């Protein structure tokens, strides 16, 4: 299968090839764990989850690494503000991150390395950079000498002037050049001991960029296939990663394909705490929005395009999933789960979906096809199993949401009518019919309960109540 991917390095669609036969290696920048993931974070995680699911279908082996940044100034600040230890904060937020992403049906990556567990690897890499003449020690810091790497800026295609003016480059006395970036910084006296590490350059902690270079090289090697992340990471983070990796291992080209997902805005505005439009995944889950609807929403726009969140789009996403779920029932789902053959993996529908994903992950086209098929199933019920398999592959099946949406589709008047029919059957002592009505409702997850009562005239009556199971 020919897979086309837009490579940020070349600014072109390119045919994806792997360095190792049938083994794709992908690294994606993961969360900095100081706060619960917001929708922008979730977009990135969902996009790479779909890439991962797709690659797993196409290649014999996929190694997917997504790191956890658990040493960072923002973490230190957040722990201080909450008066808890850094360790307590990062453990809590990692737990929240996993819980929120599980709700979006995100598969765990092959490796999820934490920065604090790879300090030695970073120290070795920094040592190599100093030895190779690409880094220098100054006032307790180790800095990367940007001028020593002639290809610096190739990914973001910015001139040196643009790089200095376009981002918040810190001008400091210990830097030879304003663009030089920190590889190791000295410890602050106020720092929590869990964020201070020993190094040949004194006690301190690593800069942010070096962790991705060190951890990707440990799990994927100096050269690998794909590096992904949000578009905001292109500069300086990814530019710095390339510089560090290519200069520490001679001959390394680092990642061959760079993928960047677009920004997320809320009602047309940048999401920020100061604008009070900051939305976390947890906020939405708390409002009884299902994670699958959030997943659908985040994938409904092509991953490279900017994505604008608004409530109507979320409601539409929820309705779309309900429409998909309305074309099959629990027995169909059960039948799908009991399947042992993999014939559904090569159904016409699945092949169409894979071919759309091979066009730079065109999820919008996949969803349009699913809507078309959901209408067709009414005429061709034999397509149901293919349809369920497709939803499952895309991570769009959630049992709880499925059961709830079936319940929503049951008409309450119908239940009341059935209860009345059953009462009449009992009056006529047609116990077989009464039992049949009861079991029919039970098959739709509706349980009846007869409650005996005595009315004002002391006459015994039976009231039937119903509930969803
Ligand atoms: Zn990174």
């Amino acid at each position: 299968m020919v897979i086309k991917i837009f490579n940020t390095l070349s600014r072109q669609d390119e045919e994806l090839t792997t360095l190792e036969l049938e083994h794709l290696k992908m690294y994606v920048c993961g969360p900095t764990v100081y706060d619960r993931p917001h929708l922008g974070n979730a977009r990135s995680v969902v996009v790479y989850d779909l890439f991962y699911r797709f690659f797993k279908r196409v290649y014999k082996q996929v190694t997917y690494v997504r790191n956890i940044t658990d040493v960072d100034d923002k973490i230190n600040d957040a722990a201080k503000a909450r008066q808890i230890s850094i360790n307590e904060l990062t453990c809590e937020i990692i737990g929240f991150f996993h819980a929120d992403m599980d709700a979006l049906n995100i598969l765990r990556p092959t490796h999820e390395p934490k920065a604090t567990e790879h300090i030695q690897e970073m120290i070795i890499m920094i040592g190599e950079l100093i030895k190779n003449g690409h880094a220098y020690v100054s006032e307790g810091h180790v800095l990367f000498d940007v001028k020593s790497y002639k290809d610096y800026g190739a990914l973001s295609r910015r001139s040196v002037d643009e790089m200095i003016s376009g981002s918040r480059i810190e001008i400091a006395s210990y830097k030879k050049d304003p663009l030089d970036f920190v590889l190791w910084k000295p410890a602050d006296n106020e720092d929590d001991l869990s964020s201070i590490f020993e190094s040949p350059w004194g006690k301190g902690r690593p800069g942010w960029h070096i962790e991705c270079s060190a951890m990707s090289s440990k799990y994927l090697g100096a050269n690998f296939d794909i590096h992904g992340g949000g578009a905001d990471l292109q500069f300086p983070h990814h530019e710095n990663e390339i510089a560090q990796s290519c200069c520490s291992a001679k001959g390394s080209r680092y990642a061959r394909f760079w993928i960047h997902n677009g920004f997320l805005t809320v009602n047309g505005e940048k999401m920020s705490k100061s604008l009070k439009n900051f939305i976390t995944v947890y906020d939405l889950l708390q409002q009884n929005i299902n994670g699958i609807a959030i997943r659908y929403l985040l994938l409904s726009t092509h991953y490279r395009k900017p994505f604008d969140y608004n409530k109507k789009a979320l409601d539409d996403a929820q309705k779309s999933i309900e429409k998909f779920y309305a074309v099959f029932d629990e027995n169909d789902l059960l039948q799908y789960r009991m399947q042992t053959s993999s014939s559904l993996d090569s159904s016409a529908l699945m092949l169409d979906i894979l071919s759309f994903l091979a066009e730079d992950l065109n999820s919008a086209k996949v969803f349009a096809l699913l809507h078309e098929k959901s209408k067709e199933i009414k005429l061709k019920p034999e397509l149901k199993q293919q349809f369920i398999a497709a939803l499952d592959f895309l991570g769009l099946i959630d049992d709880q949401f499925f059961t709830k949406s079936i319940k929503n589709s049951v008409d309450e008047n119908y239940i009341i009518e059935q209860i009345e029919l059953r009462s009449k059957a009992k009056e006529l002592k047609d116990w077989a019919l009464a039992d049949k009505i009861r079991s029919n409702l039970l098959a739709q997850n509706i349980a009846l309960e007869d409650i005996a009562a005595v009315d004002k005239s002391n006459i015994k009556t039976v009231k039937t109540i119903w509930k969803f199971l």
Side-chain angles (χ1 to χ4, degrees):
M1 168 174 261
V2 175
I3 300 172
K4 289 281 172 94
I5 283 199
F6 184 86
N7 189 350
T8 312
L9 260 182
S10 65
R11 302 286 192 277
Q12 274 176 15
D13 281 333
E14 285 182 37
E15 186 179 334
L16 179 65
T17 50
T18 53
L19 283 169
E20 218 174 275
L21 191 69
E22 289 293 316
H23 183 181
L24 182 121
K25 296 178 184 180
M26 174 165 81
Y27 184 91
V28 174
C29 296
T32 301
V33 285
Y34 69 103
D35 206 354
R36 273 199 113 118
H38 58 65
L39 277 184
N41 304 134
R43 183 184 191 195
S44 179
V45 180
V46 169
V47 161
Y48 294 104
D49 181 70
L50 186 57
F51 269 116
Y52 181 40
R53 286 170 186 263
F54 173 49
F55 293 146
K56 273 166 51 121
R57 260 316 145 98
V58 178
Y59 296 101
K60 269 206 186 101
Q61 195 184 347
V62 179
T63 305
Y64 171 29
V65 182
R66 188 187 62 214
N67 68 308
I68 288 180
T69 301
D70 58 352
V71 52
D72 188 88
D73 289 350
K74 284 185 207 143
I75 294 174
N76 287 13
D77 295 345
K80 259 182 218 163
R82 286 183 53 191
Q83 296 186 315
I84 56 174
S85 74
I86 286 176
N87 207 19
E88 243 176 291
L89 175 75
T90 54
C91 285
E92 179 193 87
I93 303 291
I94 291 169
F96 288 159
F97 175 78
H98 283 148
D100 295 350
M101 293 306 113
D102 286 352
L104 305 189
N105 220 355
I106 304 292
L107 302 175
R108 295 283 165 93
T110 324
H111 302 285
E112 199 174 38
K114 289 182 193 163
T116 51
E117 290 169 4
H118 295 79
I119 301 291
Q120 274 319 305
E121 285 84 346
M122 295 183 221
I123 288 174
I124 291 169
M125 192 172 253
I126 296 171
E128 286 298 310
L129 288 168
I130 296 174
K131 200 174 84 190
N132 296 345
H134 291 288
Y136 58 93
V137 183
S138 168
E139 297 176 30
H141 294 74
V142 184
L143 291 127
F144 186 92
D145 181 355
V146 167
K147 284 222 170 81
S148 75
Y149 178 54
K150 66 173 177 27
D151 289 334
Y152 191 78
L155 176 73
S156 54
R157 298 193 180 182
R158 296 178 191 213
S159 68
V160 170
D161 288 346
E162 278 173 326
M163 284 192 268
I164 294 174
S165 63
S167 68
R168 284 171 288 168
I169 296 290
E170 196 193 352
I171 297 172
S173 61
Y174 49 80
K175 289 186 178 181
K176 282 203 279 188
D177 186 286
L179 275 182
D180 291 352
F181 57 89
V182 172
L183 299 170
W184 189 265
K185 65 189 286 183
D188 219 314
N189 285 339
E190 288 175 24
D191 281 350
D192 184 325
L193 281 180
S194 56
S195 73
I196 300 177
F197 305 91
E198 296 284 349
S199 86
W201 318 285
K203 284 181 180 172
R205 61 195 146 101
W208 170 36
H209 315 296
I210 193 75
E211 69 173 86
C212 289
S213 287
M215 294 193 280
S216 59
S217 122
K218 175 170 179 178
Y219 294 95
L220 302 174
N223 294 288
F224 55 95
D225 304 308
I226 295 179
H227 192 310
D232 54 330
L233 299 182
Q234 254 182 58
F235 179 81
H237 185 54
H238 291 163
E239 206 71 74
N240 294 353
E241 279 189 40
I242 295 173
Q244 295 161 158
S245 294
C246 293
C247 295
S248 61
K250 286 210 174 91
S252 161
R253 284 182 55 206
Y254 201 40
R256 296 159 66 237
F257 290 82
W258 283 84
I259 304 179
H260 290 99
N261 63 279
F263 292 107
L264 182 134
T265 50
V266 174
N267 296 315
E269 284 184 311
K270 199 175 172 232
M271 188 163 64
S272 82
K273 279 188 174 157
S274 58
L275 286 172
K276 294 201 167 78
N277 64 354
F278 197 83
I279 302 169
T280 65
V281 171
Y282 184 69
D283 291 336
L284 296 181
L285 296 174
Q286 285 299 96
Q287 293 163 31
N288 273 331
I289 307 289
N290 190 276
I292 298 296
I294 304 170
R295 179 183 178 91
Y296 178 96
L297 175 72
L298 294 173
L299 290 172
S300 57
T301 300
H302 186 261
Y303 78 91
R304 280 195 291 118
K305 286 189 184 148
F307 176 86
D308 188 45
Y309 168 85
N310 60 69
K311 184 71 175 66
K312 187 184 172 300
L314 181 62
D315 291 343
D316 289 347
Q318 186 123 345
K319 279 180 202 144
S320 291
I321 296 290
E322 281 167 2
K323 258 188 213 162
F324 292 163
Y325 287 178
V327 301
F328 57 94
D329 61 23
E330 279 166 317
N331 288 333
D332 297 319
L333 188 57
L334 192 65
Q335 189 189 332
Y336 167 70
R337 296 249 158 88
M338 309 269 284
Q339 300 251 2
T340 47
S341 90
S342 57
S343 62
L344 292 173
D345 293 349
S346 53
S347 73
L349 176 60
M350 191 66 84
L351 295 180
D352 280 345
I353 289 174
L354 295 177
S355 73
F356 293 158
L357 294 178
E359 295 170 24
D360 197 23
L361 205 79
N362 198 334
S363 52
K365 221 165 158 180
V366 170
F367 287 178
L369 178 68
L370 289 177
H371 279 284
E372 209 178 283
K373 290 289 164 191
S374 68
K375 286 177 202 147
E376 213 179 306
I377 287 177
K378 285 170 194 152
L379 303 171
K380 295 182 188 165
E382 67 274 15
L383 291 179
K384 272 185 194 175
Q385 290 296 311
Q386 290 186 19
F387 189 73
I388 298 172
L391 292 184
D392 193 24
F393 160 63
L394 296 163
L396 293 177
I397 292 193
D398 174 277
D399 284 11
Q400 262 187 341
F401 187 29
F402 175 67
T403 317
K404 201 173 145 204
S405 86
I406 287 187
K407 285 172 185 172
N408 288 343
S409 66
V410 175
D411 184 357
E412 204 168 314
N413 290 332
Y414 160 78
I415 303 171
I416 293 165
E417 204 179 274
Q418 293 298 304
I419 291 175
E420 280 167 5
L421 274 177
R422 179 170 166 267
S423 302
K424 275 191 193 135
K426 281 167 80 177
E427 268 172 41
L428 298 171
K429 300 202 178 349
D430 186 349
W431 309 116
L433 178 61
D435 283 348
K436 195 171 172 230
I437 293 170
R438 186 190 198 121
S439 57
N440 275 349
L441 288 171
L442 201 58
Q444 296 169 69
N445 283 313
I446 300 154
L448 300 185
E449 194 184 337
D450 296 322
I451 298 174
V454 179
D455 72 6
K456 282 177 195 159
S457 333
N458 224 9
I459 296 173
K460 247 184 155 184
T461 57
V462 174
K463 192 172 180 278
T464 304
I465 58 162
W466 64 273
K467 62 174 184 189
F468 284 125
L469 286 177

